[in-house]
Amino acid sequence: TNFRSAMASGAGSIRVRLQHHKDRFEMTLPQDSRVSALAQEAARLTAVEPGRQRLICRGKVLSDASLKLETLLSKAGGELPVML
């Protein structure tokens, strides 16, 4: 399994664990990021264009690009598991 990191971590950020087939990616996005930013970063890491992505977090398809990622966190400082 491949683990790759994207972007610097820090305060006011959201950790995302992205799984795409057998590959796993860890990324850190700003706290106020939206699904659209996640889709762009996923495209950079996986070469799957945002229009062809189906991002799933905790069983929910993330179809609203304007949704803030922080609304998906179960607790402050948590981590989002996302499948592509």
Side-chain angles (χ1 to χ4, degrees):
T1 308
N2 297 328
F3 284 94
R4 302 175 194 157
S5 293
M7 306 179 96
S9 61
S13 59
I14 296 175
R15 291 185 320 251
V16 179
R17 294 190 84 155
L18 176 69
Q19 181 173 340
H20 178 248
H21 298 293
K22 292 184 180 182
D23 291 330
R24 294 175 191 251
F25 303 91
E26 292 184 4
M27 64 183 89
T28 303
L29 297 171
Q31 183 94 23
D32 60 350
S33 293
R34 298 181 184 275
V35 170
S36 57
L38 172 59
Q40 288 296 324
E41 186 62 14
R44 188 181 74 76
L45 293 170
T46 66
V48 177
E49 292 301 317
R52 299 186 62 219
Q53 294 176 5
R54 190 169 130 200
L55 298 170
I56 302 169
C57 179
R58 297 186 178 113
K60 179 181 177 186
V61 176
L62 304 180
S63 56
D64 181 0
S66 66
L67 181 69
K68 285 191 172 188
L69 296 178
E70 64 188 348
T71 63
L72 301 170
L73 288 174
S74 58
K75 60 183 178 185
E79 186 174 83
L80 285 179
V82 178
M83 294 182 66
L84 170 62

